[in-house]
Amino acid sequence: LIMALKVLDDQGGGSESNTWEAIEFTVDNGGDIMSMSIGWHHSWSPARATWRETLDNALAAGVVASIAAGNEGGSPNNPDDVRTPGDCPPPWLNPDQTLIGGVSACVCVGATDNNDNIASFYARGPSEAISPYNDYPFNPELGLLRPDVCAPGVNIKSCNAFNINGYTSMSGTSMATPGVAGVMALLMSKIPSLTPAAIDIALEKTAVDLGSSG
């Protein structure tokens, strides 16, 4: 069963509250996996604490989410480049995440091209949790490592919202995110009892480690 919950208009605009309601609908109606090619940059002042609470609650209900990191990458060690809610913590903390804090439903997704090269545009964090959580402080501490996993997100063939008879080619972490959600669904189709943490572990431990170790 696939539930398509529309929260944005055809220009990509929409409210955070509509998205929270869609997440609540997913939980209330037995959803297992959310694919969220969506995000608010920190400069837009999203309600980051409410997002964290929402995804904490989703995790408690056994739901896991594939969420785009955003496309504002380029400068290293930028605690504000990963969009919200991709800056929320994952269901499982990778051993590289030596600063230990809370978890949530968010598996944050970056992008690669068809040759497994890291896409230059994707946001790379790390992120920093804000009040009242404050569990992933950054500089001099580690912060929250982002993203959790990458998937193909460069020159991806997709449906064209403005031409129902044609296709388009697009790049971005929003293109990579549904692929990760699809892998999540395949895993759960084989083992329906998998928890969000187990799905995250399977994704991260079987992914090819690109670039510098970790």
Side-chain angles (χ1 to χ4, degrees):
L1 174 65
I2 296 176
M3 296 185 288
L5 307 179
K6 183 174 174 61
V7 297
L8 303 180
D9 61 26
D10 61 4
Q11 299 299 315
S15 70
E16 296 172 271
S17 60
N18 282 348
T19 313
W20 298 331
E21 288 181 12
I23 294 171
E24 183 178 6
F25 184 93
T26 300
V27 171
D28 289 346
N29 288 275
D32 298 305
I33 299 162
M34 296 185 291
S35 180
M36 299 175 61
S37 293
I38 197 168
W40 280 261
H41 198 274
H42 291 176
S43 63
W44 303 342
S45 300
R48 293 178 63 195
T50 303
W51 275 108
R52 176 72 181 270
E53 180 181 9
T54 300
L55 290 174
D56 286 356
N57 292 339
L59 179 64
V63 178
V64 64
S66 175
I67 302 179
N71 307 320
E72 286 77 28
S75 57
N77 297 319
N78 180 355
D80 290 311
D81 66 350
V82 175
R83 293 192 179 202
T84 301
D87 56 1
C88 293
W92 170 73
L93 296 179
N94 191 291
D96 290 331
Q97 181 66 60
T98 54
L99 174 62
I100 305 300
V103 293
S104 82
C106 171
V107 175
C108 182
V109 180
T112 56
D113 65 19
N114 62 353
N115 293 312
D116 275 353
N117 295 311
I118 299 170
S120 61
F121 54 76
Y122 84 75
R124 305 184 191 187
S127 293
E128 182 174 30
I130 62 171
S131 178
Y133 295 92
N134 300 318
D135 50 352
Y136 291 101
F138 174 71
N139 196 12
E141 298 191 61
L142 180 66
L144 177 65
L145 298 179
R146 304 280 77 196
D148 298 302
V149 69
C150 293
V154 178
N155 297 326
I156 304 299
K157 187 175 183 179
S158 180
C159 296
N160 188 338
F162 304 100
N163 178 5
I164 62 173
N165 297 310
Y167 295 89
T168 186
S169 179
M170 300 183 69
S171 297
T173 55
S174 287
M175 307 306 290
T177 297
V180 173
V183 175
M184 291 175 172
L186 288 171
L187 287 167
M188 188 165 283
S189 72
K190 288 293 185 180
I191 311 175
S193 62
L194 283 178
T195 64
I199 290 173
D200 190 13
I201 289 169
L203 289 170
E204 295 196 45
K205 285 197 170 183
T206 60
V208 177
D209 197 355
L210 301 176
S212 57
S213 179

